[in-house]
Amino acid sequence: MSFSDKVASLMARPGQDPNAKDDVPWYLRYAGRGVGTVGGIIAIILGLVETLSLITMNISCLIGGILQVLAGFTLICFEAPCCCMFLDYVQNVSEWIDNRPYWNKAIIYVCISIPPVIFCTGLSSIFGGGLIFLTGVIYGMMALGKKATVEEMRANAQAGDQRGVPNANPPTSNTTSTNMRSNLVNNAQPMSFTGPPMFDSNV
């Protein structure tokens, strides 16, 4: 059993299909889950530290700390429901969010990471919200899909070169080329000259 298989068995949820249903690289999947779990815990701790600003009567940082604790708790519920086994509905919510596309998670995480920083721009809110934002960025990269292989990119570039071979009938000045090797001169549009403005001598 390889190291990646051991990590997969540790991070798998109960009843989860061991075979991935998409072509997302395994390291991105584990990075999203790991950064989300650790980032959620750190965001909750730093949010609780921010709520101590109640002593100095800093209400905006108190609101920012509460929002950061809620954002971290949301992240923990989505990414590591085993940490919230005392809540009955967390497993159902986590399974529902796991069945959604990755870009849904990315938007949710990016949106919940911004309000704490807006209310209290401090090191703890920036770091805690930054970890939540980083989790959203990772899921955004997962939503883009797997990068093409070198052979596929080379084949696409060669196909583009073959489409760009000049033919006997060059394009007229009114047509534009869609070839990836086209330059500005071939795609230049004709210029028109209207002449100098005419002045009325009666004015």
Side-chain angles (χ1 to χ4, degrees), residues 20-90:
K21 297 181 176 63
D22 50 16
D23 56 353
V24 174
W26 63 270
Y27 52 86
L28 272 182
R29 189 177 294 113
Y30 297 146
R33 184 83 61 198
V35 172
T37 304
V38 174
I41 294 170
I42 292 175
I44 290 173
I45 294 171
L46 293 177
L48 291 174
V49 170
E50 281 184 22
T51 56
L52 296 178
S53 61
L54 181 63
I55 298 171
T56 60
M57 300 302 288
N58 191 347
I59 303 301
S60 63
C61 280
L62 174 66
I63 295 172
I66 293 171
L67 290 175
Q68 186 165 321
V69 168
L70 291 175
F73 181 71
T74 303
L75 199 62
I76 290 292
C77 289
F78 288 171
E79 298 300 324
C82 60
C83 297
C84 305
M85 292 173 23
F86 53 89
L87 297 174
D88 296 334
Y89 62 88
V90 169

